[in-house]
Amino acid sequence: NAGVTQTPKFRVLKTGQSMTLLCAQDMNHEYMYWYRQDPGMGLRLIHYSVGEGTTAKGEVPDGYNVSRLKKQNFLLGLESAAPSQTSVYFCASTLPRRDSGKSSYEQYFGPGTRLTVT
Amino acid sequence: GQNIDQPTEMTATEGAIVQINCTYQTSGFNGLFWYQQHAGEAPTFLSYNVLDGLEEKGRFSSFLSRSKGYSYLLLKELQMKDSASYLCAVPSGSARQLTFGSGTQLTVLP
């Protein structure tokens, strides 16, 4: 049981290049999320998905696209990278559950992808 | 929308007790999470509070007051390995997506 994995771990892009970040989870979670983390700004939600074939925009979606063709995978694409997209990207997933009468949406995070755009 | 405030940095001594505060404003309340994040690593779950009061889990406790929009994380018997960033987060929306505070960087000194 690997949990949440992300590929690649590191990447350097030139402005205008494209790339896809892959997130995979083996916990049969329904919901998946992409966040970016910048110094002093905490984690901000880019896009999320509540199930296979569905995606929705988060707080900072511009410049990114996502796809959820399979339940276990959530892909984040950058079509034309910009220096402002230099960041650490985290994927997360959750399976809503009830524990002792209360619902919990505890999110499990992947190890992150460090992306630098020059 | 959601707004979350927490101190940027805190310093404490090994063996001591430290309290990290978090205040929040949210349009609909669905609980509050605390996560721990070591440098260069992913956030890991510490606690989830949805009802008022204190929840204890080993050396870590978390408190919530919904009427005051306030939570704190209490760390007892501090160890060097507790040096990390502590993130306060509130869920919202259909997917309970998280809005995070900027995090409190805790440094534990010997």
Side-chain angles (χ1 to χ4, degrees):
Chain A
N1 193 338
V4 181
T5 58
Q6 292 182 231
T7 309
K9 288 185 168 51
F10 303 92
R11 186 73 187 267
V12 178
L13 287 179
K14 294 188 187 307
T15 298
Q17 288 184 320
S18 63
M19 77 164 294
T20 300
L21 283 68
L22 171 63
C23 176
Q25 52 92 7
D26 61 2
M27 297 176 284
N28 201 34
H29 285 176
E30 286 293 333
Y31 299 175
M32 296 186 75
Y33 315 82
W34 276 107
Y35 295 91
R36 60 178 288 174
Q37 186 173 35
D38 303 296
M41 298 192 72
L43 287 100
R44 293 180 292 167
L45 182 67
I46 305 171
H47 285 280
Y48 63 96
S49 168
V50 298
E52 183 177 319
T54 72
T55 63
K57 294 180 180 179
E59 179 187 355
V60 288
D62 293 345
Y64 305 95
N65 56 76
V66 289
S67 63
R68 183 104 182 264
L69 299 179
K70 293 183 179 180
K71 184 177 183 179
Q72 63 268 33
N73 295 337
F74 195 26
L75 278 64
L76 178 71
L78 287 73
E79 291 187 346
S80 180
S84 61
Q85 294 178 304
T86 294
S87 188
V88 181
Y89 292 86
F90 287 101
C91 175
S93 70
T94 191
L95 178 67
R97 63 181 177 87
R98 294 192 73 85
D99 184 12
S100 301
K102 64 181 183 182
S103 296
S104 175
Y105 291 77
E106 173 190 342
Q107 293 186 17
Y108 295 80
F109 284 81
T113 295
R114 290 187 174 275
L115 175 66
T116 301
V117 183
T118 62
Chain B
Q2 278 60 240
N3 188 44
I4 301 173
D5 287 312
Q6 50 181 133
T8 303
E9 296 178 329
M10 297 185 73
T11 303
T13 305
E14 194 174 14
I17 299 173
V18 70
Q19 178 176 311
I20 302 174
N21 296 325
C22 170
T23 57
Y24 64 89
Q25 294 173 316
T26 179
S27 53
F29 186 72
N30 296 294
L32 185 141
F33 287 89
W34 283 97
Y35 280 82
Q36 179 190 59
Q37 185 179 25
H38 285 101
E41 298 183 7
T44 55
F45 171 79
L46 286 178
S47 68
Y48 173 66
N49 294 66
V50 66
L51 300 175
D52 290 349
L54 185 70
E55 294 210 6
E56 299 186 66
K57 196 184 295 184
R59 293 190 299 114
F60 291 13
S61 302
S62 56
F63 172 83
L64 176 68
S65 169
R66 289 174 295 174
S67 62
K68 296 182 179 178
Y70 168 67
S71 173
Y72 67 72
L73 182 69
L74 192 70
L75 291 74
K76 303 176 184 176
E77 301 170 13
L78 280 173
Q79 302 176 9
M80 299 298 289
K81 67 179 182 179
D82 297 328
S83 290
S85 182
Y86 292 86
L87 312 174
C88 176
V90 293
S92 64
S94 60
R96 297 295 189 263
Q97 52 268 35
L98 292 175
T99 299
F100 284 86
S102 298
T104 298
Q105 182 64 46
L106 173 66
T107 301
V108 180
L109 301 174

